């Protein structure tokens, strides 16, 4: 069994090789871009067919990347396949020509080859060559032929035809008959080139001598090697039935539409027999070699000879049916006669076009240029003629069109630029309509999604943002949120927010605010102070994640709202060194007299800085009032004798915030009879320790006053040092020489000290002599100090004291020299008020108490 199978495979291989050699090289590609190859049937899987990569001029290394493939209809068997590594077309599964092509003639496999980037379409025809893989077969292995003994010489008896599915030379080529003494064989050819055999009587039969004759009929095909089939014919010699039926035509032809319903009369056959009785009654039937398909489709009424339609016809499957009908009488030794009926089918438009969509480039980029190929569409109509001619079109209002590349092949291309944000997806309706009457059409819908490209920049919902933030906000609190939209999709629409670099009052903007890159929420990084910064603006950028990224900017104006966080600050009057501010008021002041004005400032704004003044405390509330808007302090009535000479007032300054903040100032008003030209310094009235001002302005004023006082004292010390140095230099001169200075030993020290000194005399005008003052020292008798006053000392509040120069002859006496531990004892003198605002009557008596005379003229 295994040997037989191996031998059969070897024979098939030899036949395939022989056919390949005979087929020769493939045909060159015609102008339409079509190749044609020939391949024998029954090749094993992987058998070489052609080198498509070389014949089409394609780069073999790019076949896989360009998706080189065979486009076939859905459900169709893939007999051939392409190796993407070398571009070779090979047999994918065994091809049986008799199965692929039921009808005879040329058997072609139409292949559509598609390659992308760029899109190219090729048509390839592969002819399946028949090999002699089938032997002729007879319907029956034994056939009984009844021949009357009265049959004349030369009578012909058609025999059953052998069937061979192969075509051409591989089909039935001839018949042979085994040697015998009564019959010969003649082979006849039909119109379709098929062969059938007729048995010819060569010698008269005698039933009495031999009732049965056995012969062997052999059918031979023309293949290499030759195949054959046999059938045994049993010829039975019958008694005479002199006449046989005769058809009025040897061959009949009839046309029938393919959509004819079952039961339709195809043809009325007519055969006559000159005999009478049963020998003249004719019965019709199909001959023994009628194909099974014919028996399925047609039926013959045995007595009437009507050929009726039994099954459904299909022009696309077979356009011609050949019926072999026999007629024989019912007499003994009946002889059957044969005729042929050719049924030609008429095509009707019963097949709608078939549309096959082969998606190539979906989704399509929205920036694809016009003319971009989207899909390849094949249209097939199984009808013929006008019924099989198809036109294809797309629906209206879509940016696509169909371009015909080959017959019944179209490419769907773009006609204009696409915009995914306007139309994200197209449902393209493709209509295929044939030319039949009535026309049949098929609609198919191709969904073409549009792929997004980053062609839209983000867009903020507002052209600018205004944000109002209350000062003293908590750091890290959210202040606002910005939002932008991007009509793109996926990562092209993913937005990230950031703040552009910049500075606010010299500080980086990143120290003031931050933004969440995903949500756009903005946060204050520090507590804002309205008094330091009232508004600022920042640039926020929204950038998508596309490539290249697109961005948009928006300006965010941040306004700081005032909060009543600053109390009023008193700027006038200001206490000095912790003392209460004082003011003099004449007792003669009338009602409405302006005593002074309390002034205050508030760093807040709006209602928070609107100040009102009121008298909080007073020695006598009926005596003074404060204007609530201006802070002017005025008298309400005239002073009475019983009114205190010192009035203590506390004025409160209150702002308009909620809650309101306030500050107070204490005033000490002294009621005087007459107003001096210069205000007095009431420094002895100190403010209570519980009322010091903690305002920064008060601190600045105190520091300034301290600096000025320190500078003034330093200048006094420098001037004193310079003056003392000049006095030492003049000690050796005549400014205070011994002859001009003398001691007054006889005078006793006075208990009044300097008050008893003679200082009332004024030096002559223009003199440069120093004025000397003898001061008792309380030391040993005869020892005194001399105070030398320069001419400018009369204009100064300071007295420069220096010891008198003793005689030189006394320097050697250690007893008369002054000891280091002896110091000048000078009683302290209280500083007198400024004479500019003291009355003259008080000044003269004081001046008369002193007598000033030049030193040395006592």
């Amino acid at each position: 069994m295994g040997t037989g199978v191996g031998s059969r495979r070897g024979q098939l291989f030899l036949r395939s090789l022989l056919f390949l050699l005979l087929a020769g090289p493939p045909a060159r590609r015609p102008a339409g871009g079509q190749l044609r190859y020939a391949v024998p049937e029954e090749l094993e899987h992987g058998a070489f067919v052609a080198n498509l990569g070389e014949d089409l001029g394609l780069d073999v290394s790019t076949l896989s990347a360009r998706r080189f493939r065979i486009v076939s209809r859905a459900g169709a068997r893939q007999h051939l396949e392409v190796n993407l590594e070398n571009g070779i077309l090979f047999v994918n599964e065994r091809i049986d020509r008799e199965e692929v092509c039921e009808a005879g003639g040329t058997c072609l496999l139409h292949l559509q080859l598609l390659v992308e980037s760029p899109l190219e379409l090729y048509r390839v025809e592969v002819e399946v060559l028949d090999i002699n893989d089938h032997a002729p077969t007879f319907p029956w292995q034994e056939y009984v032929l009844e021949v009357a003994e009265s049959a004349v010489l030369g009578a012909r008896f058609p025999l059953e035809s052998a069937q061979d599915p192969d075509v051409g030379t591989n089909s039935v080529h001839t018949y042979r008959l085994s040697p015998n003494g009564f019959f010969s064989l003649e082979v006849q050819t039909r119109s379709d080139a098929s062969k059938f055999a007729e048995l010819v009587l060569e010698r008269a039969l005698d039933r009495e001598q031999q009732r049965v004759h056995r012969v062997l009929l052999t059918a031979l095909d023309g293949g290499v090697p030759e195949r054959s089939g046999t059938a045994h014919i049993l010829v039975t010699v019958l008694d005479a039935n002199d006449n046989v039926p005769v058809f009025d035509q040897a061959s009949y032809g009839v046309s029938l539409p393919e959509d004819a319903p079952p039961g339709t009369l195809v043809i009325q056959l007519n055969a006559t027999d000159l005999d009478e009785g049963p020998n003249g009654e004719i019965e019709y039937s199909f001959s023994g070699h009628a194909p099974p398909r014919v028996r399925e489709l047609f039926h013959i009424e045995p007595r009437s000879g009507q050929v009726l339609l039994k099954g459904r016809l299909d022009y696309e499957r077979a356009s011609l049916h050949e019926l072999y009908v026999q007629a024989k009488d019912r007499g003994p030794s009946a002889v059957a006669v044969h005729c042929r009926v050719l049924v030609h089918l008429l095509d009707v438009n019963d097949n709608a076009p078939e549309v096959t969509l082969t998606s190539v480039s979906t989704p399509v980029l929205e920036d694809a240029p016009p003319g971009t190929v989207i899909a390849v569409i094949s249209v097939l109509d199984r009808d013929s003629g006008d019924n099989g001619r198809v036109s294809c079109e797309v629906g209206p209002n879509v940016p696509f069109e169909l371009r015909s590349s080959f017959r019944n092949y179209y490419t769907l291309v773009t006609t204009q630029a696409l915009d995914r944000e306007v139309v994200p997806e197209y449902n393209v309706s493709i209509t295929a309509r044939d030319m039949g009457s009535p026309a049949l059409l098929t609609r198919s819908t191709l969904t073409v999604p549009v792929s997004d490209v980053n062609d839209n920049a983000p867009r903020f919902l507002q052209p600018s943002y205004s944000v109002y933030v209350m000062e003293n906000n908590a750091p890290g609190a959210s202040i606002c949120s910005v939002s932008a939209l991007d009509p793109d999709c996926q990562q092209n629409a993913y937005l990230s927010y950031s703040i552009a670099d910049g500075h606010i009052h010299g500080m980086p903007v990143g120290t003031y605010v931050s933004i969440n890159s995903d949500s756009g929420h903005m946060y204050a990084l520090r507590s804002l102070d309205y008094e330091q910064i009232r508004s600022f603006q920042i640039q926020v950028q929204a950038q998508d994640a596309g490539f290249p990224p697109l961005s948009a900017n928006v300006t965010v104006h941040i306004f700081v709202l005032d909060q009543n966080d600053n109390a009023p600050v008193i700027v006038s009057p200001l206490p000095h060194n912790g003392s209460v501010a004082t003011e003099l008021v004449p007792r003669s002041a009338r009602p409405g007299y302006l005593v002074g004005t309390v002034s205050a400032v508030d760093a807040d704004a709006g209602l928070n800085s609107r100040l009102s003044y009121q008298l909080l405390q007073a020695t006598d509330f009926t005596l003074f009032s404060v204007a609530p808007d201006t802070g002017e302090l005025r008298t309400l009535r005239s002073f009475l004798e019983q009114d205190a000479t010192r009035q203590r007032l506390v004025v409160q300054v209150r702002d308009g915030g909620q809650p309101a903040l306030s500050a107070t100032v204490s005033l000490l008003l002294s009621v005087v009879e007459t107003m001096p030209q210069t205000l007095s310094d009431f420094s002895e009235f100190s403010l209570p320790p519980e009322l010091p001002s903690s305002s920064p302005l008060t601190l600045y004023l105190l520091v300034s006053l301290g600096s000025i006082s320190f500078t003034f004292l330093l200048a006094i010390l420098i001037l004193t040092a310079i003056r003392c140095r000049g006095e030492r230099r003049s000690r050796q001169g005549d400014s205070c020489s011994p002859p001009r200075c003398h001691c007054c030993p006889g005078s006793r020290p006075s208990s009044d000290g300097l008050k008893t000194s003679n200082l009332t005399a004024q030096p002559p005008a223009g003199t440069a002599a120093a004025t000397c003052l003898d001061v008792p020292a309380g030391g040993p008798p005869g020892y005194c100090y001399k105070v030398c006053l320069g001419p400018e000392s009369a204009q100064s509040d300071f007295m420069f004291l220096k010891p008198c120069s003793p005689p030189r002859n006394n320097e050697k006496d250690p007893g008369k020299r002054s000891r280091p531990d002896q110091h000048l004892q000078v009683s302290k003198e209280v500083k007198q008020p400024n004479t500019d605002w003291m009355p003259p009557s008080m000044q003269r008596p004081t001046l008369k108490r002193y007598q000033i005379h030049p030193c040395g003229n006592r």
Side-chain angles (χ1 to χ4, degrees):
M1 182 68 179
T3 305
V5 174
S7 175
R8 185 175 183 274
R9 289 183 177 177
Q11 292 177 2
L12 288 176
F13 175 75
L14 292 176
R15 292 172 189 156
S16 302
L17 180 61
L18 178 60
F19 274 106
L20 286 176
L21 295 175
L22 293 176
R28 295 293 180 185
R29 184 176 6 166
Q34 179 171 323
L35 294 175
R36 184 165 183 174
Y37 301 97
V39 59
E41 62 173 333
E42 300 294 342
L43 290 181
E44 299 293 334
H45 173 76
F48 174 84
V49 178
N51 192 337
L52 291 179
E54 179 180 344
D55 296 340
L56 295 176
L58 300 176
D59 186 0
V60 177
S61 62
T62 63
L63 294 181
S64 179
R66 296 182 65 185
R67 299 181 62 195
F68 184 55
R69 63 190 183 277
I70 297 176
V71 180
S72 59
R73 288 184 303 165
R77 298 177 63 179
Q78 195 76 16
H79 295 288
L80 302 175
E81 191 55 84
V82 178
N83 189 332
L84 297 181
E85 295 181 358
N86 50 27
I88 291 178
L89 181 66
F90 63 90
V91 176
N92 186 45
E93 62 178 23
R94 186 181 65 84
I95 305 174
D96 187 353
R97 183 193 177 283
E98 290 73 30
E99 180 183 351
V100 174
C101 303
E102 295 182 3
T106 305
C107 183
L108 296 177
L109 295 178
H110 299 278
L111 305 180
Q112 286 77 39
L113 303 177
L114 191 66
V115 62
E116 301 178 7
S117 302
L119 179 68
E120 295 183 26
L121 184 66
Y122 304 95
R123 296 189 66 181
V124 175
E125 290 183 352
V126 179
E127 180 181 359
V128 180
L129 300 177
D130 183 50
I131 64 174
N132 194 20
D133 56 343
H134 295 89
T137 58
F138 287 94
W140 296 279
Q141 293 296 319
E142 187 175 77
Y143 179 69
V144 178
L145 177 63
E146 295 178 346
V147 179
E149 62 177 338
S150 60
V152 297
L153 298 179
R156 297 175 179 271
F157 305 97
L159 301 177
E160 292 287 346
S161 298
Q163 302 295 323
D164 194 333
D166 296 328
V167 296
T169 59
N170 295 327
S171 64
V172 177
H173 180 62
T174 187
Y175 294 90
R176 292 178 185 174
L177 189 65
S178 62
N180 65 87
F182 293 91
F183 300 96
S184 64
L185 193 66
E186 285 191 7
V187 179
Q188 302 293 333
T189 304
R190 298 187 180 96
S191 59
D192 59 353
S194 61
K195 308 286 186 179
F196 68 95
E198 292 182 341
L199 196 63
V200 181
L201 182 61
E202 297 290 344
R203 182 179 172 186
L205 300 174
D206 188 353
R207 181 178 179 277
E208 287 71 26
Q209 292 183 359
Q210 188 175 353
R211 300 179 62 178
V212 176
H213 297 270
R214 295 180 182 274
V215 293
L216 181 64
L217 180 63
T218 303
L220 302 172
D221 60 23
V224 178
E226 187 180 64
R227 288 176 172 270
S228 62
T230 60
H232 294 275
I233 300 177
L234 181 63
V235 181
T236 303
V237 181
L238 303 176
D239 282 336
N241 182 10
D242 298 337
N243 295 288
V244 296
V246 177
F247 284 100
D248 53 4
Q249 295 182 21
S251 178
Y252 295 89
V254 65
S255 296
L256 189 67
E258 64 170 327
D259 60 348
T264 301
L265 176 63
V266 178
I267 192 172
Q268 175 68 59
L269 297 178
N270 185 26
T272 59
D273 192 329
L274 298 178
D275 293 327
E276 294 181 355
N279 293 334
E281 294 178 2
I282 300 174
E283 289 184 351
Y284 300 90
S285 64
F286 287 111
S287 62
H289 57 276
R293 178 64 177 168
V294 171
R295 298 176 184 271
E296 294 175 0
L297 294 177
F298 300 96
H299 167 69
I300 297 178
E301 287 292 336
R303 301 302 298 253
S304 64
Q306 289 182 342
V307 180
L308 302 175
L309 185 61
K310 180 181 178 182
R312 291 285 184 180
L313 301 176
D314 190 355
Y315 177 88
E316 289 71 35
R317 185 171 182 178
S319 60
L320 175 66
H321 294 280
E322 192 172 4
L323 284 64
Y324 292 96
V325 181
Q326 67 179 10
K328 66 178 181 179
D329 58 31
R330 300 180 63 185
S333 303
V335 176
V337 294
H338 300 78
C339 74
R340 182 178 64 172
V341 179
L342 298 178
V343 180
H344 298 274
L345 299 185
L346 301 178
D347 183 43
V348 295
N349 194 20
D350 59 342
N351 291 282
E354 299 176 7
V355 178
T356 302
L357 301 176
T358 303
S359 180
V360 176
S361 180
T362 55
V364 59
L365 293 174
E366 63 176 322
D367 62 347
T372 301
V373 176
I374 305 302
V376 176
I377 302 168
S378 62
V379 181
L380 175 64
D381 195 319
R382 301 171 63 87
D383 296 323
S384 61
D386 289 341
N387 296 332
R389 284 202 304 231
V390 181
S391 63
C392 202
E393 61 185 10
V394 297
N397 303 322
V398 292
F400 304 98
E401 67 177 3
L402 290 174
R403 295 179 182 176
S404 178
S405 53
F406 299 102
R407 183 176 179 270
N408 293 338
Y409 278 86
Y410 299 87
T411 55
L412 183 66
V413 299
T414 59
T415 59
Q416 64 188 39
L418 306 178
D419 191 348
R420 190 206 64 83
E421 289 70 38
V422 177
V423 181
E425 184 179 83
Y426 291 92
N427 292 320
V428 183
S429 177
I430 301 173
T431 303
R433 181 182 287 104
D434 59 25
M435 302 298 178
S437 179
L440 299 179
L441 58 86
T442 299
R443 286 191 176 91
S444 182
T445 301
L446 174 63
T447 300
V448 181
V450 181
S451 180
D452 184 52
V453 297
N454 195 23
D455 57 345
N456 290 278
R459 180 174 56 85
F460 283 93
L461 299 182
Q462 300 180 20
S464 64
Y465 290 84
S466 296
V467 181
Y468 298 90
V469 181
M470 186 68 69
E471 66 171 332
N472 301 320
N473 58 292
S478 176
I479 58 175
C480 72
S481 177
V482 297
S483 180
L485 295 178
D486 195 322
D488 295 324
C489 67
Q490 296 179 355
Q491 68 174 8
N492 296 330
Y494 177 77
L495 301 181
S496 61
Y497 300 90
S498 61
I499 297 177
D501 294 335
H503 290 81
I504 301 175
H505 289 198
M507 296 293 291
V509 67
T511 62
Y512 279 83
V513 292
S514 66
I515 190 169
N516 188 304
S517 60
D518 295 327
S519 64
H521 290 288
M522 297 180 62
Y523 305 91
L525 297 181
R526 60 170 61 184
S527 181
L528 301 178
D529 190 351
Y530 176 84
E531 289 71 37
Q532 295 182 1
I533 179 171
R534 299 193 174 187
S535 66
F536 59 91
Q537 65 182 24
I538 59 176
Q539 292 289 327
V540 176
Q541 182 186 71
Q543 179 174 292
D544 58 30
F547 183 80
L550 301 178
S551 61
N553 293 340
V554 70
T555 302
V556 179
H557 301 273
I558 298 178
F559 299 93
V560 182
L561 300 180
D562 183 46
Q563 192 178 40
N564 194 23
D565 58 342
N566 291 279
V569 176
I570 307 295
V571 296
S572 175
L574 288 176
H576 298 284
N577 298 328
S579 61
V580 179
T582 62
E583 188 66 55
L584 298 179
V585 182
R587 184 174 291 275
S588 60
R590 295 179 176 275
Y593 174 79
L594 178 62
V595 178
T597 302
V598 177
S599 299
V601 295
D602 195 319
D604 294 324
L607 290 176
N608 296 330
S609 63
R610 185 173 182 178
L611 302 180
S612 62
Y613 302 85
Q614 65 176 352
L615 192 60
L616 189 63
Q617 297 178 9
T619 304
D620 188 351
F621 282 98
T622 63
L623 191 56
F624 300 97
S625 68
V626 175
D629 295 329
T630 61
E632 293 180 349
L633 181 63
R634 296 180 180 271
T635 57
L636 291 175
R637 58 179 176 82
S638 299
F639 287 96
L640 303 176
E641 292 295 333
Q642 62 269 21
D643 291 334
T645 58
R646 289 191 176 184
Q647 298 284 333
R648 187 180 182 89
L649 307 179
V650 177
V651 178
Q652 183 187 57
V653 183
R654 188 183 185 91
D655 58 27
Q658 292 294 333
L661 300 179
S662 63
T664 57
V665 60
S666 297
L667 302 176
L668 185 61
L669 303 182
S670 298
V671 182
V672 295
E673 296 297 333
T674 59
M675 290 293 291
Q677 296 180 0
T678 304
L679 295 177
S680 300
D681 183 14
F682 296 96
S683 59
E684 67 274 15
F685 300 104
S686 300
L687 286 173
E690 66 275 11
L691 296 176
S693 175
S694 59
S695 171
L697 183 59
T698 305
L699 180 61
Y700 299 155
L701 293 174
L702 292 176
V703 172
S704 301
L705 291 175
S707 301
I708 294 173
S709 301
F710 176 76
T711 304
F712 178 73
L713 291 176
L714 184 61
I716 294 298
L717 292 176
I718 294 173
L719 291 175
T720 303
I722 295 174
R723 186 63 179 268
C724 290
R725 186 177 181 182
E727 291 296 334
R728 289 195 190 105
R729 290 180 180 177
S730 64
R731 187 181 298 171
Q732 297 177 0
D734 55 358
S735 62
C736 192
S737 58
R740 298 178 61 184
C741 299
H742 71 278
C743 298
C744 303
S747 60
R748 299 182 61 88
S750 173
S751 61
D752 294 337
L754 292 177
K755 294 182 181 180
T756 60
S757 299
N758 296 324
L759 298 174
T760 58
Q762 297 291 336
T767 177
T771 303
C772 298
L773 176 63
D774 294 335
V775 181
Y783 190 84
C784 68
Y785 287 93
K786 176 169 285 190
V787 179
C788 297
L789 303 177
E792 69 275 10
S793 299
Q795 307 297 328
S796 175
D797 292 338
F798 294 91
M799 292 191 303
F800 297 90
L801 304 179
K802 61 181 179 178
C804 296
S805 300
R808 294 184 182 270
N809 52 8
N810 295 331
E811 291 179 0
K812 297 180 181 181
D813 188 2
K816 295 183 179 181
R817 297 178 62 183
S818 62
R819 296 184 302 269
D821 55 350
Q822 290 179 343
H823 300 282
L824 177 65
Q825 300 293 327
V826 181
S827 62
K828 295 182 179 180
E829 180 181 4
V830 178
K831 186 176 180 181
Q832 298 297 324
N834 194 339
T835 58
D836 293 338
W837 48 277
M838 293 299 293
S841 59
M842 298 174 61
Q843 195 173 11
R844 289 192 188 98
T846 304
L847 294 177
K848 291 180 179 180
R849 296 173 59 186
Y850 298 96
Q851 294 180 0
I852 301 176
H853 57 86
C855 184
N857 295 326
R858 289 181 68 178

